[in-house]
Amino acid sequence: TGKLACEYLAERGPEGLRWAMAGRSMEKLANVCNSLPEASRGVQLLQVDITDEQRVREIAGKTKVIINFAGTPYYDKALPVVAACADTGCCYIDITGEVPLMKVSADRYDARARETGALVIHACGYDSIPFDIGAFLAAREMRVRHGIGCARIRSYVEDSLGGVSGGTLATAIELLDKGADIDGWQAANQPYGLVPPGSPQGPDVGDGGEVGALPRYIEEEGFWATPSVMSAVNAKVVRRSNA
């Protein structure tokens, strides 16, 4: 996924964009760099290991945004980078769908990030951008057209391209294996597990809405539906944004 992101920046990044690639292996970074369009092959390569706190902070202190693709899983790799960004005011983005990681990240670093102005945004991949932004746009349009908020928002996914990556499968297996040994695991079992402390909670008792574990015919829409395997992540992210 990181390689795809680099290809996207190389091919579609705005004029004047300054970016670099960072990772543990300079050889692997060079291989990715050499596969990019010729105009981007001079991009700076930075060697860094997340166990080297000083090096991570050095890099965070010299850039405006770090986009982290080093997961599989994220829960044992992302927090040192989040900590460095929160301390230095560097914004942080990743594509994790790991609810325990998001919970611990917010509990530990939200206050510091607010002090320094760092934006820390998890779940910026397919989980949960379409659902989080979609819910925001729907709620905004409801207020514009009718002057009221939404009592309920549903998101449906029909046929789509792509599939589940090996990294996603490996992460799911790892999290299931570790279970309650992972910090923040309780949040994964609570519909409002990601909302900030003290925030009001709604009526939801699960993440699938009115659709149960089995397929159900949705009268208002005229089709059958079943909960997405990622609804337990996406719904919690939307609730946190709404809070």
Side-chain angles (χ1 to χ4, degrees), residues 27-160:
E27 180 181 357
K28 291 182 178 180
L29 290 174
N31 288 339
V32 173
C33 185
N34 291 333
S35 70
L36 299 177
E38 188 170 351
S40 296
R41 291 180 188 173
V43 65
Q44 187 175 6
L45 306 182
L46 306 172
Q47 188 169 29
V48 60
D49 191 301
I50 60 165
T51 60
D52 187 342
E53 181 180 347
Q54 182 176 351
R55 177 61 170 160
V56 174
R57 287 179 60 87
E58 176 188 351
I59 291 177
K62 292 181 178 179
T63 190
K64 294 181 179 179
V65 181
I66 288 179
I67 308 176
N68 184 11
F69 294 98
T72 318
Y74 273 92
Y75 82 85
D76 61 354
K77 303 178 184 69
L79 290 176
V81 187
V82 175
C85 288
D87 272 344
T88 60
C90 174
C91 295
Y92 173 93
I93 297 171
D94 67 28
I95 57 170
T96 185
E98 300 166 35
V99 171
L101 178 277
M102 296 183 225
K103 172 62 174 174
V104 174
S105 172
D107 286 350
R108 292 184 186 177
Y109 305 115
D110 181 71
R112 179 57 175 160
R114 290 175 184 271
E115 292 175 357
T116 63
L119 297 177
V120 178
I121 311 177
H122 301 289
C124 285
Y126 183 71
D127 305 300
S128 302
I129 289 294
F131 314 97
D132 199 18
I133 299 299
F136 167 74
L137 295 175
R140 185 179 68 177
E141 192 65 16
M142 177 66 82
R143 292 192 181 280
V144 169
R145 293 190 186 188
H146 307 291
I148 59 174
C150 294
R152 178 182 63 198
I153 294 177
R154 292 172 173 168
S155 296
Y156 296 101
V157 177
E158 298 182 347
D159 293 341
S160 58

Side-chain angles (χ1 to χ4, degrees), residues 153-219:
I153 294 177
R154 292 172 173 168
S155 296
Y156 296 101
V157 177
E158 298 182 347
D159 293 341
S160 58
L161 298 176
V164 179
S165 71
T168 298
L169 291 174
T171 295
I173 294 171
E174 177 81 5
L175 295 181
L176 288 172
D177 181 58
K178 297 292 184 181
D181 293 333
I182 299 173
D183 289 343
W185 69 273
Q186 300 96 329
N189 298 318
Q190 302 168 0
Y192 295 88
L194 287 180
V195 301
S199 298
Q201 298 187 8
D204 294 346
V205 296
D207 297 313
E210 298 82 1
V211 180
L214 299 176
R216 176 174 178 266
Y217 188 76
I218 309 299
E219 294 286 350

